[in-house]
Amino acid sequence: MKKNDIKKLNIISVTSEGNGVAKEEEYVFFVPYALVGEEVNVKILKIKKNIVYTKLIEVLKPSPNRITPLCDNFYKCGGCTYLNMNYENQLEYKLKKINDALERIGKLDIKANYIIPSPVISGYRNKALIPVSKDLSGNIICGFFKNRTHNVIDMEECYIQDKDAFGVVKTVKEWMNKFNIEPYDEINHKGLIRHIYYRKGVHTGDIMAGIVSYNKSIPHLNELTDMLLENISSVKSVILNINDKHTNVILGEKTITLYGTPYITDKICGLTFKIGSLSFFQVNPCNVGNLYNKAIEFLNLNKNDILFDIYCGIGTIGLSAANKVKEVIGVEIIPEAVEYARENANINNITNAIFYTGKAEDVIYKMEEEQNTPTAIILDPPRAGCDKSLICEIIKLKPEKICYVSCDPATLARDLKIFSESGEYKIKEVIGCDMFPNTFHVESVALLTLSTAI
Ligand code: SAH
């Protein structure tokens, strides 16, 4: 077997990133876009010891789960991986991803038995940060990156984005063309516009739209605001975010409000939340209520509970649980998010919640010192998972119950292993929740209880 050979394979499994897997003799083949149960022809691209990377050439026997992707950019774009299969199959893959991680990384004998489907699978994303670039002829192009590259695919729509997102893209593009505003060139560090910012409060209709720029001296910003307000109804906020760093991090630390409020508003679990441009907010508003309700149900809270909401963002989960507990104490690293968490407590007349700013792994000591010892904890870290020192401190604090909400099964499994190996905690239940239809990402919720509990 050598590079460029064509080979027939049977797909027997799927990786956590959604690639089909075939095995033959000592070789393991990865086949992007091939589904479990299919017979396919592939071209060999690269052989690395016993791992073979391939390109799908032809599906000889298609899976009954295969469907025609409803997006023309599917095979180019790095955004979605699962638009070529029905939704039931996506859910099955995602559950397998969680269970593979629990078994292989966590060495745990617990399994996630079910996954909460998303009620909506197209147009669900309430946020987009869309790269801006130039094509070889010098035309301005906006869209997501081509798979594993920084080359922008020019797009006029996206199957999973909220329908107004590309109206904002079209308007920013028109503005750039009209006033000769240059996109940022990440190789030579010249030009201005890096990304287009879009966020919608789906339950209120509020839209925040704007640009991320390399430099703050941009001409014709008034015209940009006018054009956005004219073309897209319900724009409540127009922003300019400045990012002068030479990094892949999209947003800079400073946002200037060009029009309207520095936040937009959305509703979850019957509460109203103000969301700032730099603050995290779940991207699938149709399933976020189900996610939070499951986390709260897992904790079986009562009026004596002291609840720590660790990695609290703008306070969404803790505030949704506030009426069930004695006190909510949140911690979050982004100062803007903490300001909104406090504001969100106020606007919802919640008086039993306080919030700390800083790294959870540092601030936890202060929270213990100044507040009551927690009886319940919510952990909702970013993809990297929890800092080990935070987990060790939580184990010492011995809250009765912990709910771990995770957007990466691999780090969830790694962290659950630490809890489990401490001997202090049992992993009682894990479930999936699909916050990211058509992509290989999946959210999970795990309940941990003290081993000594009956
Ligand atoms: N629970 C919130 C936010 C979850 S996202 C919600 O459901 O909306 C994870 C959050 O953790 C982000 O707001 C991020 O800014 C924050 N974060 C990341 N690292 C952190 C750290 N070391 N300490 C505290 N917060 C952190």
Side-chain angles (χ1 to χ4, degrees), residues 268 278-283 288 291-292 309-318 331-335 337 356-363 378-387 390 405 407 443:
I268 317 175
L278 303 175
S279 305
F280 177 88
F281 190 72
Q282 287 285 349
V283 295
V288 66
L291 175 73
Y292 289 177
D309 180 3
I310 300 183
Y311 306 96
C312 68
I314 56 168
T316 43
I317 310 185
V331 58
E332 160 63 44
I333 199 169
I334 304 278
Y356 286 78
T357 312
K359 284 188 182 168
E361 54 274 31
D362 300 338
V363 176
I378 287 168
L379 290 168
D380 185 10
R383 252 179 244 172
C386 297
D387 193 273
L390 174 72
V405 179
C407 54
E443 195 89 4

Side-chain angles (χ1 to χ4, degrees), residues 197 199 241 251-255 276-280 334 336-337:
Y197 187 107
R199 186 175 243 173
N241 177 272
L251 293 178
E253 283 163 19
K254 190 168 169 50
T255 301
S277 63
L278 303 175
S279 305
F280 177 88
I334 304 278
E336 182 209 83

Side-chain angles (χ1 to χ4, degrees), residues 239-250:
I239 57 143
L240 163 63
N241 177 272
I242 317 292
N243 183 359
D244 56 9
K245 302 253 159 60
H246 298 170
T247 85
N248 281 343
V249 176
I250 297 178

